[in-house]
Every structure is written in structure tokens, then in C-alpha cells.
Amino acid sequence: MMGYLYQCELALLELARRSWDDITIEVRMELLDDIEFLHHETQDPLELLQSKYREAAGQLSETGKDFWRSVTSWIDSLNVSASPSALQLPILRLVSTQIAKDGTFLYWLRSGQGRNTDRALARMEEVANDADGPGTTAEDRALFMQLTTAQRLSLVNAMVVDDGAPVMSDLDRSLAKELGITPSEHAGAVLDEIKGWWYRVAVRLLERKDPAYMLASVSAEELLCRRDEAVDRYTGKSLPITETLRNLTEAEMAPYRSRLVVSQMQWIGLPDSEIAMHLRDYHYARAQRSEWLRNFKVTTDGLDAYERDLHYEWESVFRRRTRRIDDETSEVARQDIGQDVLDDTMKKVADKAARPGTSTAPWIGRGSIHDLCDRAEYVGSDRAVGWHPDHPRLCKDHIEAADR
């Protein structure tokens, strides 16, 4: 069990480590290998990683299963035995908590100055051909020797033994360092939040039966965004504002005229000048949220939580303002109540942070609640927003009219 948990947390640590060099790199698990790192554009594997966890201190064995089963996995996954010797292989890395002894091929396969693949290959062939070797790895060693000389050389050149890896109890310290989480009273809570998210992600990465639930890969960019979200809950930063507000031109407002967001304001009798003001917030809030998503300043889950908060604020206003309406309430009175709902909601959502712990420009909240108005026919009853007391019926009529 510890080995499986270690593999999961090692994938997170390795992704954080690689984020320093390439934030677009992606990780997946249990497809070609325990852990794989991919180029984001081609989805070609850059590295296949075998994770070997041993609680007891000791040395890696030249004839042990940890190494030779990894070799078999790489041969099978990459179809090395059926490929030409010129095949460009990804890095093939064995990460072990045990130590490679000096003078073994495992030692010569480590990265750094002592690396010597020629000596490693010669010794590997010697070990693989040893008739007195253990039966537990006999088939694996035989498979290696069935490769051509050129294929064995290509395979060994791609191998890296990463020994002395941190044990489970040390992973948190290593992860905090790689993520740039400095020691503080909140560091533990931040790390727990990131790991909680990661374990949920890991389940989706390992899911193979439900395409709607499974996740192909996760990028370092998303991990860093999650880190920022967690840190900001305690440090209170501001999300970057890249949009500059100005009044929209007639040409910019024209595409919105038939949209539900405008109809919702017309139903409560707002004049065109005020509708134009609200459309400005709506237009720039949409653009700013899209920019945050593209640049991983927020995540889709984070924005979903933000929308739930906005809906809660609207609902509390709507229920309070409409509780005394009955069949005798006139349409004029209903429109006045709708304007009160809009005005009160705008005041409440202006102070809602788009990411917990941050401060957000007021027009982001105002524009985002209009976005929920515009999507009332799609987001469902648990997220639908409207100003007019009868907006569910009016939205239904709007949809039916658009379909005709």
C-alpha cells in the first residue's frame, strides 16, 4: 500500500520539480509506465519513470526484481524488440529509495560524472547471461539478451538510475521546496490542500472505464495554479487585472442585443443607458475570466466555486425581495422589485473575491453575475439567476421564441 501511495506522491513531486524548467509539461500515470511525462504539444513521452519504494534501507540488487522488471516494462511499453536500433527513446528512469553500490551497473547508470553506459551495458550483459542468477528475474534477463546489440545499447543509453530517493516521510519537505512554499504557520495547511486536490486528480488519471470522468494528463501549469490558489487563501493577494474598462461602442454592444442578459434587464424596465453600463461590466468580466483561465491564474473548479458564491448572494436577495409578491402584484410593481433585486445583488457581489484570499475588482463580480443571467437557460435551476420575479417563466418563453 505504501508503494502505491508513494507512486502517487512521487508523481506530484516530480511534476513540481519539472515546473521550474517547463510549466507546460504534463504527467500521467499507469499507461506506459508507473509515471510518464509528456510534451504538451505532441503528447510524446519525454520520460518513463518506475517508482520503487522500500522502507528498509539497503542496496539495489543487480539481479533484483526492482531493476529487471522495470527493464521488461520498458521493452514491452516501447516495443523495443520490434523497433529499429535507431529508435529515439524517452528517458527511462528508475527511482528507488535504496542505494546503488559503487562498482555495479546500477551505479554507472546514475546521472552525473560517474555515469558510464559502456561499462554498465557490459556488466548488465554479464549479469543477464549468468546461469546461476535467480529464477525470479530469469525471464526478464533473457528478454533483454534477446534484443540486438544495437537495441540493448539504445535502451541502456536511455536508462537513468535515481537511487537514494526521499522516503515517504520526507516527501512533504521536498514538495514544499519544489513548490516554493516557505515555512510559515500556514505551510502545512497549504500543502494539505494541494495534496487533497492531487489525490482526487490521481483517481481520475487512473480511471479507464468512464471517459466522462477520466483525465488524460495534468500539466505543471495547473499544479502551480492550484498552489497559488491555496497560498492566496492565507496571504491575500490580488488577481492581475489585464482588461481596461471603457464604454462599449454600438458595434461592440450589437451582438448582445438578442442575448438573454439584455432581455433580463429589459424585463425589469431598465433604460438603454443603464443596460449599456451593465453590459460593460459583463463584457470585460468575461474577457478577464477567460484570460485568468488561459494563463492559469484560476482554475475551472475555482471559477465554479466563485459562481456558486455569487448565486448564493443573489438568491438571498431575490427571496427577501420577492417574498410578499402575490397574484395581485402589478407588472409595474414586479419590475420595480426586479430593479431592487438587481441593485442589491450588485452591491453584494462587488466584494466577492474570485479566488479565496484575494481581492477582486468590483466589476468582476457584477459582470460575472450577469454572465449567470445570460446562461440561465443552460446552467440549470441550481445556478439560474434573474431579476424579474417571474424570470423562470420569461426565460422559458425566451427559449421557445428563439427555437421557433
Side-chain angles (χ1 to χ4, degrees):
M1 184 64 183
M2 189 69 81
Y4 288 118
L5 294 174
Y6 185 77
Q7 175 185 337
C8 180
E9 296 206 15
L10 181 64
L12 174 60
L13 173 60
E14 292 286 337
L15 185 62
R17 184 170 290 152
R18 283 161 176 75
S19 69
W20 289 94
D21 299 317
D22 182 4
I23 61 172
T24 65
I25 199 167
E26 298 176 7
V27 67
R28 66 186 180 195
M29 292 196 291
E30 293 290 351
L31 197 61
L32 293 176
D33 213 337
D34 292 348
I35 303 168
E36 305 159 43
F37 293 96
L38 316 169
H39 190 279
H40 73 289
E41 293 180 350
T42 64
Q43 292 294 292
D44 291 333
L46 299 172
E47 180 177 323
L48 303 186
L49 188 154
Q50 283 275 323
S51 167
K52 303 299 180 185
Y53 184 78
R54 297 290 179 264
E55 288 186 89
Q59 295 178 348
L60 273 169
S61 169
E62 285 189 312
T63 58
K65 291 187 293 184
D66 280 1
F67 177 77
W68 287 104
R69 293 286 168 83
S70 298
V71 172
T72 295
S73 174
W74 291 328
I75 293 173
D76 291 343
S77 297
L78 299 172
N79 202 18
V80 172
S81 57
S83 301
S85 58
L87 177 68
Q88 182 64 42
L89 297 177
I91 296 171
L92 307 175
R93 194 149 70 97
L94 172 67
V95 175
S96 174
T97 53
Q98 294 186 309
I99 302 297
K101 182 182 177 182
D102 191 358
T104 64
F105 67 74
L106 298 160
Y107 183 86
W108 294 324
L109 287 176
R110 301 192 314 170
S111 58
Q113 292 183 344
R115 183 173 175 82
N116 190 322
T117 53
D118 290 335
R119 294 181 70 180
L121 175 57
R123 176 58 183 162
M124 278 181 64
E125 291 172 339
E126 182 181 336
V127 172
N129 281 320
D130 187 359
D132 295 327
T136 52
T137 60
E139 291 184 4
D140 305 299
R141 290 181 283 119
L143 181 62
F144 176 70
M145 292 308 300
Q146 289 169 13
L147 300 177
T148 66
T149 301
Q151 288 171 340
R152 291 199 295 272
L153 177 61
S154 178
L155 189 68
V156 171
N157 281 335
M159 292 180 187
V160 176
V161 171
D162 191 350
D163 65 332
V167 295
M168 195 72 169
S169 57
D170 291 331
L171 285 183
D172 278 3
R173 285 190 290 272
S174 299
L175 179 61
K177 180 180 179 181
E178 295 298 341
L179 288 175
I181 299 173
T182 56
S184 70
E185 60 179 314
H186 304 303
V190 170
L191 210 55
D192 285 346
E193 186 169 328
I194 293 170
K195 289 173 64 176
W197 161 76
W198 180 253
Y199 271 101
R200 292 191 298 274
V201 165
V203 171
R204 297 183 63 193
L205 287 173
L206 295 170
E207 172 63 53
R208 295 288 184 267
K209 295 182 179 179
D210 185 356
Y213 181 73
M214 65 182 290
L215 192 64
S217 60
V218 179
S219 71
E221 204 164 17
E222 181 170 358
L223 169 59
L224 295 184
C225 182
R226 294 286 176 168
R227 175 204 61 188
D228 291 345
E229 285 181 336
V231 169
D232 287 348
R233 294 184 200 280
Y234 301 97
T235 58
K237 296 181 180 178
S238 297
L239 287 170
I241 298 296
T242 56
E243 297 294 321
T244 302
L245 266 65
R246 56 171 176 77
N247 290 330
L248 301 181
T249 65
E250 285 298 323
E252 288 172 321
M253 285 192 292
Y256 296 121
R257 294 298 185 189
S258 61
R259 298 280 287 270
L260 185 56
V261 63
V262 171
S263 297
Q264 294 249 39
M265 290 185 277
Q266 290 173 335
W267 295 336
I268 59 174
L270 286 191
D272 287 346
S273 58
E274 193 167 346
I275 290 176
M277 177 189 71
H278 287 292
L279 277 181
R280 180 189 61 191
D281 289 347
Y282 168 66
H283 176 87
Y284 286 108
R286 289 183 70 200
Q288 187 63 73
R289 292 198 319 271
S290 295
E291 176 71 12
W292 286 340
L293 283 171
R294 280 194 302 272
N295 292 298
F296 284 87
K297 300 302 180 184
V298 296
T299 61
T300 53
D301 287 347
L303 281 184
D304 189 62
Y306 178 52
E307 289 181 351
R308 288 198 299 270
D309 288 344
L310 296 179
H311 183 272
Y312 176 83
E313 298 296 347
W314 163 83
E315 187 176 30
S316 65
V317 170
F318 186 81
R319 292 189 181 281
R320 175 168 51 83
R321 283 290 186 178
T322 60
R323 64 176 177 265
R324 292 190 176 89
I325 290 179
D326 55 30
D327 292 342
E328 303 301 318
T329 305
S330 68
E331 176 57 24
V332 172
R334 289 169 186 264
Q335 289 185 5
D336 287 343
I337 290 170
Q339 291 189 20
D340 289 337
V341 170
L342 183 146
D343 292 340
D344 290 355
T345 300
M346 291 300 147
K347 291 176 184 177
K348 298 196 74 173
V349 301
D351 295 329
K352 296 297 293 184
R355 190 165 74 191
T358 67
S359 57
T360 305
W363 53 269
I364 297 290
R366 296 196 299 261
S368 295
I369 199 73
H370 279 302
D371 191 56
L372 290 181
C373 278
D374 196 39
R375 292 186 283 134
E377 58 196 274
Y378 307 112
V379 297
S381 59
D382 64 332
R383 201 73 60 79
V385 165
W387 312 122
H388 194 285
D390 303 321
H391 74 272
R393 174 182 59 79
L394 294 170
C395 284
K396 183 174 181 293
D397 292 343
H398 182 275
I399 296 169
E400 292 175 351
D403 290 340
R404 286 198 293 267

